[in-house]
Every structure is written in structure tokens, then in C-alpha cells.
Amino acid sequence: MYKKNNSLLVYCIFYFLFLYIPVFLLPIFSFNDSFHMVFPLKGFTFDWYIEMWNKARLHKALWNSIKVGVITAIISTFIALFAAKAFTRYRVKYSGLSYGALLLPFIIPEIIIAVAFIVIWTSMGLKLGLIPITISHILYCTPFCLLILISRMDGFDKSLEEASMDLGENIFGTFWRVTFPLLLPGIIASLLLSFVISFDEFILAFFLSSSDQTLPIYMWSQLRFPKKLPHVLALGAIIIVATSFIVMLSYWFRNLGQSNNNRGSHI
Amino acid sequence: MISALQKIYVKNDQLKAYTLLSPALILIIIAMAAPMLVMIITSFNTQISMVEIDRTFTFDRYEDFFSKPIFSMLLFRSLKISFLVTVLTLLTTYPLAYYIAFYVKKNKMLWIILMTLPFWTSYLLRVFSWKVILGNKGVINSALVGSGLIDEPLGFLLYNQGAVVLTLAHAWAAFAILPLYVSLDKIDKSLLEASYDLGNSKFETFIRVTLPLSLPGIIGAILIIFIPTVGDYVTPQMVGGTDGRMLSNMIQSLFGRANNFPLGAASAVLMLSSVCIIAGIVTYITKKLTLRMS
Amino acid sequence: MVNNDFIKLRNISKKFDDVIAVDSLDLDISEGEFFSLLGPSGCGKTTLLRILAGFEYPTTGSVFIDNSDVTNQTPNLRPSNMVFQNYAIFPHINVQRNIEFGLRKEKLSREELNLRVKESLKMVQLEGYEERFSNQLSGGQRQRVALARALVKRPKVLLLDEPLGALDKKLREEMQIELRNLQKELGITFIFVTHDQEEAMTMSDRVAVMNEGKILQISPPKELYNKPVNKFVSEFIGNINLLETSIIDENDKNLTLDILNIGKQDFNKNIFNSKLSENIFVALRPEDISIKKEKIETADINIKGIVKNVSFYGESTYFYVKVEGINKLLMVSNFVDQVSINENDECSLGINLENIKLVS
């Protein structure tokens, strides 16, 4: 019944182009020897990459983004790990309610969370900066981590943990010898993806930053000036390649040791 | 004493479960519920100077919001744009998810990865890329002018609501593809064969069986696209121009140059509550419509 | 000297929210016994096994194993080991490491470990599979690994949760015999949960039939078949015909019953296993009814009927017979088709009074 459908396939290819052309455009112009992003291309150059290398503010912003991203990834993965265990291994009362609440940050417009953060932060007389950015990123990333880890935990049977308890291991031994190794690919995927999300996140960082810039804010501030545009394109090209690589890696990890029937669940 | 407590703990699954859930719940309370509560409270206050806010309770900010037509107009436009984005994204990604679920036999994962990979790459750069594509000196216009098809660049491509809708539909595609694919892939193929066998054509089978069974995916996609896009800031700012300005741009200026936190908070509250109500209605209608058709 | 209450359950109940899975139940199991918990799904047998293992804690009551109260002990501290329904072979480590998983606390040397693993693999006839991973094993082999992994701990009690359910028929029958032999050889108490009555009957020393959280009967297999205590057990174990009846007269020794189509009969009260109640049934095993074309002289009671259906099962043939006044078709079995009776033939059914059971 479902052998071939060429018209759908053609549609898919067009959609594919629609998805990818905007992504590939920037890296192409990052090698273009001109300030203007106009076809035809002028000439090939590495200048913008060299210029990028010499921007001190960019280095600072990159370092900030990495700091925020790493802390966010570790904390949100840990929080999600415990929550995923609770949801998949116990019959929790009001589990639907808590599950819904934990996924909310994923749905609520980021600008609302940003505004709410500004209001509470300033009303407490605290200074905006990397700390509120990190906290809001943890909030925003936890639902992603939770979904990844829940699907991973659903992928192996509760009886494996019970078997370990039955064979004499206590809760910690069971976690260390059974749960953790089986979850490890999911944990790595969760760390990688939450890092990518935090690293790319703009709105929360834009509202909550003060003098400390993260990389997306640095790019935003440079995009307005045509003269500074090319080195942002170079930076963007590197970011696109790097995040694609990290995401591919995380997908690979997520499917590691996963049985075939469980491959349907993503995000 | 300790061992007695231990005994209670070991036997009580609820206690164990909520211990494990507590970090997440604390996070939600501290980083989401509390700030939003303060935001709601602030929306009933008054800004009296750069840094000072009068905490007396008042409805004035809501009155301000509705007395200046620009606010309602921007709110309405934001809702309209995110509704259009949702519809456009669903219509364009459904065939894709359908193809992957039913026709792709090998390497389904690879297809899914390829279709969702752009989502993970910098949002800012993707939106900027659309500006480059649609601009007066952009890719499309320079190609058209260069090839001699037109003399003047097409001005209507950029800086309007259409550009915002297109850009957002591109940016949020992954959020539609994934839930749609998951719900379509779950459908037992023998159900479709049964419908075929019982005399329905392929099209009737689609309308009467496939579509209603993919409803959870459709509703999921509606919720995770409609609600967040209403508050998008980057896209209207970059490709929207005056025609494509949305409420979020206004909110940003209320927290920036205009420096009116209470009015900004009131706008945010109204934005969130209206989008939630409309999302609820849209979900309800979608459910009814799909089930009616089958 | 055999310890008759090696495992002791006293007043065990388990409630899940509002559902009562196990209902104030007492049970004693002797040392070295092969004991089966048999019942339909949802009868509480698995919950009971999980209470024994320590995965569920009873709402009321106590569990004793070898004279020590283990009610509040976590599974890792109990002297029991379990073979899981889906085997629960750790997929991230190989067979060797799966089997030595539970031996870490014993602080054995590498040589000792290897010896123990080898021994236990030999026990389940799986030598040479040390390096394999779970996904490289067949269902039957996984089952053996699960068995070896539990037995290598030398448990006092082995708990088996429908371990043969996922195997195909032939392999299942082989494993039944192997399990039984292994149990005899090791002398370990086996507690076996199953919904398959044949499985329980062929392997066990005693079987407990459970329904709705209660144990209805604990007996050796033969007794279970021949003397079911009530209607549920009689129907659950093997095939049976149940005929409605009513009590006409009763004295100290005898009951007089009116059986549809058969008429009044006197019965000695001691063949009646259940408690007396209004709703009693005459129960007849298919093999306790003989069938011929003509009247059966040796039988106490003869009934006429029409054969509606004949099913040939190889070693026996089943006849489904319509008898006037009885709603259901009577099931009659016969070893090898000695009588050539076809569908729609008239026939005579013979019953001997001593074969009649009464249940309620």
C-alpha cells in the first residue's frame, strides 16, 4: 500500500532545500571578499576568519557563553535525571500535574520568562548578568533534558534495576552498576543538547544581561553594522558547523544500545 | 529512631518519588512560578521614576493598555501572526512527516535528523539569513535583477508581516515535524489496510483513519508553535519592519528605553493569557473538526 | 528433618490505591519444595511473589524466611533470588559479568569467580557462552542465563515469575522437565508463578490456586484435579462439565440431589469438598463419562444424547454432546477413537456414581 510516492518525495526535496538554504547561505558569504551579501560572489578570502580571531570582545563573549552553557547543561541534566527517575519508576500521585508543570518552560514564550525574571530580579535589588541568565537557561533547558532522559529510561525495563537489587546491590550500587551505564548515552545527549540550546539562546540573555555579553548578544550587536558583518558570518559559520556536529553526536549517543522499537521517540 | 524513619522511607514510594522530583519542582517554583507571580503583581503597580515603583494596587496599567489603540493592535497582530505561522507550519510539514512515517523504509532516523538539524543551529543567524535572502539587495532580488527578469528589486519581500510569518514557519518547522512524525509513525499499518479493505479509497482512508489518529501530534504541534511564537522578538525586529512589529518589541522597549516596568508586565500578562485561551479554543476546534470528518 | 514452615506468610494484604491485590493471606511453604502459585492474570500471584522478593511491601502482615522476619528487608538483603518474567539480563555487560554480578559482596578471587560462573553455566547447560551479550542470545538461552545468575548466589529460595511464558511450546516443555530436575538436584525451595495450569501440575509438589487476592486451595496436583474444593478451582484445572442441581433431602450421612435429566440421586456427604451452599453443581471430568452408540451396561446412569461435534486431538477424541434439558453441550473424552461415532449420531452416555464430584 505504501511503496512509492514520487510527488511527495519531490515535495520533501523542495522542503529540504527551503530548510537548508538559509543555513548554508551564511557560511558561503563568510568566504566572500566583500562587505555586502550580494550575489554574484566576489572572491574567496579567509580575512574574516582572521579578523574574528583578533576580536577581544568576541573572546570574552565566547567564554561567557561556554561558562553559562556548561553550568546550565550539568545542572539541568542532573535535575532532569532525578525527575525522570521519579516519573518512570514510581506511581506518583499528581504525576500528570507535576509533569505538565515541568514542561511549561518549554511552551511559555521566552519573553514572558525574561520579563518575569527582570521584574523579580530588579525588585529584589539584584544586578542583572550571567547569574540570572544561567538560572533562566536551566529553567528553559530542563524540559528538553527531561524528555530525552524519560525516553531513555523507558527504553530499559524496571526489572533490570530490580534484578540488581535482588542480586544483592543496594540503591547506590544499583544506580552505579546498572542505571547509570544504561542511561549514560542519554545523559551525554542531554548534556550536549542543553549546552547547544543555552549556547544559542538569545532572548533570555538579551533581556537579562548587563555588561557581560554572551555570544548571541555579541552577534546581535554586530549585525547592525555592515562593516562588522563579515566576521560575524565567519563566527556564525563556525557555530553552525560546531553545533551541527554536537547535535549529530548527541543523536548518535541517544540511539546507542537502544533497541529498534524505541527509536521513534525524539526530543 | 533513624531506622524507624528509614523503614517508613523505604516503604513509601510517594516519599521517594517526591524526593527525586524536588529539585525540579523547586526550580519551577523559584525560577518560574515566583517570578511570574511578581510579574503579575507588578502589572498592578505604577512606575514613578527610573528605578522606583509605587506598589499601590491599581488597574491603571490595564486601562493604559486598552486605551492606547497601538497596544491592542499589536496584541491582535501578534496573535494573528502566530496563528498563521502555526497553520502554515502544520500544512507544510504534515506531508513531510507523513512521507517519513509511511514511505521511508530505511534510515528513518537519518531523515528525522536532517529535518530537525537546522533547528539546533543558531536561531539568530537563521533569521538574519532570511533578511539577506529577502532584502532589496538580497539573494532573491539580486538574482532576479541580475538575470534581467525584473528591473527594480521587489520591495514587498522584506519588512512586512508576510516575511515574519515565513521566517517563523522556517524557524519552528522542527517543532511540528517531530510530534507529527511520532504520532504518524505510531499508527498501526494494518489499520490503514483494514480501512482500504473495507472499501475506502486512499484519500478517504487518510481523512477517516490517518488524520484522526495523528491528532495528538497535531495538537502537540499547535501548542508548541502557537504559544511560544506569539512572543517572538528577534524575527519581527529583524525582518518585520513597522508593518511586522509585534507586541514583544513593544514590551522590550517598555523594559528598555520607555522604562515602564508595570505596563510591560501588564502587556506580558495579557499576551500570555490571551494566547493560552486562544490555544485552548484552537485545540478544541481542531479536535472536533478532525473527529467530525472521520 | 524437613522444615514445614521454611517460608511463612501471615495475614499478608497488599492494596494499590483502592485495588486489593492480595487479601489477608496465610501461607506456609516447606524447605526444598517446588511450590506453584497458579491463577488467572490479576489474581495477585505476581504481587505475592514480589512481596516475597521485597519489591513490594505488604500493607499488612509479615513475611518470614527460614525463621527470620524479612518483612521490612530490602530485596538485596533477602536470602531469595528471582528469575524475572522478561529475564532482565543486563544488556550492557556479557553473560560472564551478568552471572558474577551478585557475587561482588562475597569478595572472591578471579579464579573462584570463574569457577562459580562455570559451574552455574554447566548447571543450565550453557557452557561456552561467557562472552555473549544479551542481544546475541535466544529467548531460551536468556532464560538459562537468568537462572544461572540467580542460582550462582546459592539462594535459600528461588522465585520464578512466569519464566517460561515467552518460550514456544516445545522448548517450554523441555524447560519444565529441566527445571524440575534441577530443583530436585539442588534441593532449593522453588516458588513458581504461572497462569498455565499444565505447567503448574507437571512440575510442582504443591500448587496454590489463587483468585481475587485469595488462595482457594493448596494441594498436590493430583488432589487438585480430583478433589477441587470449589467451582472456580474445578473449572480452572482441566476441563469439566458442571450440571445444575438442587438439594431435596439431607441427613447426617447422605444428600439427596435432583439432577437435571438424571433425576434423584443419593450421595455420601464426604465426597463433597466445598462448604455446603444452595448453589451446588455436579462436576464431571470429560474422561469420567463414557460414550457408546448403544446403552452402557456397566454404568450406574445412562443418558441419551446427540453428538454435535467431534474434535480429534491425537491421543484422545473429544465429543460435544447435546442432552435434552441441559443447556451446555456435554464434553466427553475418549482415548483414541475406539468408537466410531460421527457428528449428529445418537449416542448413550454412561456415568458411574463414584466419579461424580460436587462443587459450589
Side-chain angles (χ1 to χ4, degrees):
Chain A
M1 185 168 174
Y2 296 97
K3 294 235 169 62
K4 248 186 176 174
N5 191 329
N6 286 331
S7 46
L8 258 186
L9 180 61
V10 170
Y11 175 81
C12 287
I13 291 167
F14 272 103
Y15 195 87
F16 191 79
L17 291 175
F18 164 71
L19 272 183
Y20 274 87
I21 284 175
V23 178
F24 281 123
L25 209 58
L26 302 182
I28 292 172
F29 280 108
S30 72
F31 296 107
N32 189 25
D33 192 6
S34 161
F35 286 124
H36 304 290
M37 293 183 70
V38 188
F39 283 113
L41 300 169
K42 288 273 157 52
F44 186 85
T45 177
F46 274 122
D47 288 357
W48 314 128
Y49 286 86
I50 295 160
E51 187 187 333
M52 181 189 77
W53 194 251
N54 298 322
K55 298 264 183 192
R57 264 180 70 208
L58 188 156
H59 294 178
K60 186 85 199 316
L62 174 67
W63 178 233
N64 282 341
S65 274
I66 289 175
K67 270 196 297 194
V68 172
V70 167
I71 294 171
T72 298
I74 291 171
I75 295 181
S76 43
T77 298
F78 255 95
I79 291 175
L81 184 63
F82 292 130
K85 166 108 179 156
F87 284 125
T88 50
R89 295 294 184 258
Y90 296 101
R91 296 145 47 99
V92 193
K93 271 186 194 150
Y94 314 116
S95 72
L97 196 69
S98 351
Y99 187 60
L102 292 190
L103 293 188
L104 266 186
F106 173 67
I107 293 196
I108 292 179
E110 278 174 83
I111 194 165
I112 303 275
I113 293 179
V115 164
F117 253 79
I118 290 195
V119 172
I120 197 172
W121 217 258
T122 52
S123 73
M124 289 193 299
L126 296 170
K127 262 193 163 171
L128 294 174
L130 294 183
I131 292 171
I133 293 177
T134 310
I135 298 175
S136 68
H137 279 189
I138 292 169
L139 180 72
Y140 187 56
C141 290
T142 304
F144 285 88
C145 303
L146 186 64
L147 291 170
I148 292 169
L149 292 172
I150 281 184
S151 87
R152 183 78 199 181
M153 252 191 212
D154 277 338
F156 72 89
D157 209 294
K158 187 185 175 180
S159 62
L160 291 174
E161 288 163 307
E162 287 179 350
S164 161
M165 289 288 282
D166 187 65
L167 292 167
E169 282 298 344
N170 58 22
I171 299 177
F172 304 105
T174 297
F175 181 81
W176 184 240
R177 294 185 69 193
V178 178
T179 316
F180 183 71
L182 286 170
L183 273 186
L184 191 60
I187 292 173
I188 293 173
S190 163
L191 286 171
L192 291 174
L193 286 183
S194 48
F195 176 80
V196 168
I197 292 170
S198 163
F199 193 80
D200 270 348
E201 200 289 324
F202 173 72
I203 301 256
L204 294 167
F206 180 59
F207 273 77
L208 300 177
S209 67
S210 53
S211 52
D212 278 330
Q213 286 186 320
T214 61
L215 210 51
I217 299 173
Y218 172 80
M219 290 197 286
W220 177 259
S221 69
Q222 304 293 299
L223 282 175
R224 273 175 288 168
F225 312 110
K227 292 235 160 156
K228 299 197 170 163
L229 185 59
H231 91 276
V232 177
L233 294 185
L235 173 63
I238 292 176
I239 291 177
I240 287 173
V241 172
T243 49
S244 303
F245 176 73
I246 295 177
V247 172
M248 293 282 226
L249 200 65
S250 79
Y251 272 113
W252 182 76
F253 270 114
R254 284 179 71 181
N255 283 313
L256 204 65
Q258 198 83 309
S259 59
N260 276 320
N261 53 17
N262 227 311
R263 294 199 174 180
S265 45
H266 324 279
I267 288 215
Chain B
M1 181 63 196
I2 287 169
S3 79
L5 275 177
Q6 228 168 7
K7 245 179 222 173
I8 293 170
Y9 195 80
V10 162
K11 282 179 149 189
N12 194 329
D13 277 3
Q14 294 302 319
L15 217 56
K16 277 188 274 187
Y18 274 98
T19 312
L20 287 168
L21 272 180
S22 55
L25 293 176
I26 289 169
L27 174 74
I28 291 290
I29 291 165
I30 289 181
M32 193 177 79
M36 282 175 71
L37 191 69
V38 176
M39 175 182 80
I40 293 169
I41 293 169
T42 307
S43 74
F44 294 105
N45 296 149
T46 315
Q47 187 94 32
I48 40 180
S49 74
M50 273 299 281
V51 285
E52 256 181 297
I53 291 174
D54 176 10
R55 293 289 178 189
T56 2
F57 183 89
T58 169
F59 278 110
D60 289 356
R61 300 297 80 71
Y62 290 90
E63 267 181 56
D64 291 348
F65 187 96
F66 288 109
S67 61
K68 292 178 192 151
I70 176 91
F71 283 95
S72 323
M73 195 269 279
L74 286 177
L75 174 61
F76 178 73
R77 185 191 283 163
S78 301
L79 291 168
K80 185 181 86 181
I81 286 178
S82 60
F83 178 77
L84 290 175
V85 170
T86 310
V87 173
L88 183 66
T89 315
L90 272 179
L91 290 180
T92 49
T93 54
Y94 198 100
L96 197 73
Y98 185 83
Y99 186 82
I100 301 175
F102 292 122
Y103 290 100
V104 176
K105 299 283 186 272
K106 277 186 241 163
N107 300 325
K108 279 190 184 196
M109 261 315 281
L110 189 68
W111 276 73
I112 290 292
I113 292 172
L114 283 177
M115 289 297 166
T116 53
L117 194 58
F119 160 75
W120 297 103
T121 60
S122 171
Y123 181 55
L124 209 58
L125 293 170
R126 272 178 295 148
V127 177
F128 180 72
S129 195
W130 279 104
K131 185 176 171 175
V132 173
I133 293 172
L134 300 172
N136 265 350
K137 290 180 175 174
V139 175
I140 294 180
N141 275 323
S142 57
L144 288 176
V145 173
S147 65
L149 278 171
I150 50 167
D151 303 324
E152 291 283 302
L154 303 170
F156 61 82
L157 292 177
L158 193 60
Y159 299 131
N160 56 38
Q161 294 172 30
V164 176
V165 172
L166 179 70
T167 307
L168 283 175
H170 175 263
W172 290 82
F175 281 124
I177 294 174
L178 283 175
L180 288 176
Y181 167 74
V182 170
S183 67
L184 284 168
D185 197 49
K186 262 192 209 151
I187 297 176
D188 184 352
K189 305 294 177 285
S190 63
L191 293 176
L192 307 180
E193 284 167 356
S195 159
Y196 215 28
D197 180 65
L198 292 167
N200 289 303
S201 69
K202 259 190 164 177
F203 180 71
E204 284 166 331
T205 299
F206 173 75
I207 297 289
R208 300 184 64 191
V209 183
T210 316
L211 197 58
L213 286 177
S214 65
L215 199 60
I218 296 174
I219 288 172
I222 290 176
L223 292 178
I224 46 180
I225 295 176
F226 186 63
I227 300 178
T229 49
V230 85
D232 197 84
Y233 170 80
V234 175
T235 307
Q237 190 74 15
M238 244 196 250
V239 304
T242 0
D243 178 55
R245 233 169 106 80
M246 284 162 70
L247 187 58
S248 41
N249 307 93
M250 178 65 101
I251 292 176
Q252 196 272 328
S253 71
L254 286 170
F255 281 93
R257 267 169 297 159
N259 197 53
N260 189 341
F261 280 27
L263 185 55
S267 310
V269 169
L270 287 170
M271 179 203 261
L272 184 62
S273 42
S274 54
V275 80
C276 288
I277 291 167
I278 293 176
I281 296 170
V282 170
T283 312
Y284 180 78
I285 293 174
T286 311
K287 220 182 247 178
K288 281 278 166 234
L289 260 182
T290 323
L291 296 179
R292 173 83 48 83
M293 281 200 286
S294 63
Chain C
M1 162 93 200
V2 178
N3 193 345
N4 278 330
D5 54 0
F6 187 66
I7 291 165
K8 230 174 7 177
L9 301 181
R10 287 294 173 266
N11 191 32
I12 295 287
S13 295
K14 178 68 184 175
K15 264 189 181 175
F16 292 108
D17 299 327
D18 292 329
V19 184
I20 299 170
V22 177
D23 194 358
S24 44
L25 173 153
D26 296 311
L27 179 63
D28 290 320
I29 297 170
S30 358
E31 194 170 1
E33 188 172 20
F34 196 124
F35 191 89
S36 288
L37 290 166
L38 173 66
S41 61
C43 72
K45 56 189 191 299
T46 298
T47 307
L48 193 60
L49 194 76
R50 289 171 62 83
I51 287 173
L52 277 166
F55 297 128
E56 308 283 355
Y57 295 94
T59 319
T60 67
S62 324
V63 182
F64 299 87
I65 298 178
D66 199 11
N67 285 325
S68 66
D69 185 347
V70 298
T71 316
N72 292 318
Q73 246 174 26
T74 47
N76 50 327
L77 303 175
R78 296 196 185 194
S80 61
N81 285 112
M82 180 131 155
V83 177
F84 288 80
Q85 186 166 16
N86 60 2
Y87 318 135
I89 307 297
F90 302 120
H92 59 300
I93 48 181
N94 62 18
V95 168
Q96 163 94 22
R97 302 226 285 145
N98 256 285
I99 292 174
E100 62 187 45
F101 189 95
L103 298 177
R104 195 173 68 145
K105 295 264 156 68
E106 294 185 25
K107 303 232 170 0
L108 301 174
S109 69
R110 186 36 49 202
E111 288 75 41
E112 285 172 306
L113 274 177
N114 286 345
L115 199 70
R116 287 279 285 274
V117 171
K118 222 176 188 157
E119 254 175 34
S120 66
L121 277 177
K122 194 175 171 196
M123 207 147 50
V124 297
Q125 303 169 21
L126 215 59
E127 293 138 295
Y129 282 73
E130 286 87 346
E131 299 302 319
R132 299 269 187 115
F133 281 83
S134 167
N135 58 5
Q136 298 165 316
L137 299 172
S138 70
Q141 289 167 341
R142 271 179 223 179
Q143 214 257 317
R144 285 160 199 262
V145 174
L147 201 58
R149 186 178 68 180
L151 288 174
V152 81
K153 294 261 301 172
R154 296 173 183 158
K156 289 180 179 169
V157 185
L158 187 72
L159 307 169
L160 303 104
D161 185 8
E162 308 225 13
L164 308 179
L167 305 180
D168 61 50
K169 191 166 179 288
K170 204 158 160 40
L171 191 57
R172 193 161 66 222
E173 281 163 5
E174 279 173 28
M175 281 307 295
Q176 284 171 12
I177 296 167
E178 253 181 69
L179 270 180
R180 180 64 180 152
N181 291 342
L182 199 61
Q183 190 266 339
K184 273 188 187 154
E185 208 177 293
L186 298 171
I188 295 174
T189 309
F190 275 34
I191 302 181
F192 189 94
V193 159
T194 179
H195 65 271
D196 182 337
Q197 45 116 350
E198 249 174 71
E199 204 167 275
M201 302 284 272
T202 48
M203 291 194 284
S204 320
D205 293 317
R206 285 193 305 157
V207 179
V209 180
M210 285 185 74
N211 193 32
E212 292 175 344
K214 286 189 181 330
I215 291 181
L216 304 177
Q217 182 170 4
I218 306 176
S219 303
K222 256 188 198 165
E223 197 181 314
L224 207 59
Y225 188 79
N226 291 326
K227 289 184 179 168
V229 296
N230 62 19
K231 186 169 166 252
F232 181 87
V233 176
S234 74
E235 281 185 303
F236 197 76
I237 309 289
N239 292 320
I240 203 150
N241 298 295
L242 292 172
L243 307 181
E244 279 177 40
T245 178
S246 52
I247 303 170
I248 293 177
D249 198 21
E250 182 184 351
N251 60 30
D252 290 349
K253 269 175 72 184
N254 286 316
L255 271 178
T256 308
L257 299 178
D258 182 23
I259 305 165
L260 284 173
N261 205 291
I262 296 177
K264 288 180 196 171
Q265 288 291 340
D266 288 343
F267 293 95
N268 194 320
K269 262 189 177 173
N270 60 19
I271 69 160
F272 192 67
N273 289 322
S274 316
K275 284 182 205 147
L276 270 178
S277 83
E278 288 295 303
N279 248 332
I280 57 173
F281 292 87
V282 168
L284 280 165
R285 295 283 179 202
E287 66 273 19
D288 290 338
I289 307 177
S290 42
I291 184 167
K292 271 190 180 158
K293 277 192 168 168
E294 61 282 356
K295 194 165 187 270
I296 301 161
E297 304 294 343
T298 53
D300 298 336
I301 304 168
N302 260 281
I303 324 173
K304 283 222 173 302
I306 294 169
V307 176
K308 287 288 177 192
N309 210 307
V310 181
S311 304
F312 178 64
Y313 285 102
E315 77 272 21
S316 65
T317 305
Y318 271 69
F319 301 92
Y320 295 85
V321 182
K322 174 71 193 157
V323 174
E324 197 127 332
I326 296 174
N327 285 336
K328 277 192 189 163
L329 296 177
L330 282 184
M331 216 187 306
V332 179
S333 73
N334 209 326
F335 288 109
V336 187
D337 195 6
Q338 305 151 330
V339 277
S340 59
I341 299 176
N342 298 315
E343 286 173 14
N344 295 322
D345 284 356
E346 277 193 20
C347 66
S348 210
L349 300 177
I351 301 163
N352 283 326
L353 283 177
E354 78 241 25
N355 288 332
I356 292 183
K357 307 176 211 326
L358 293 175
V359 292
S360 69

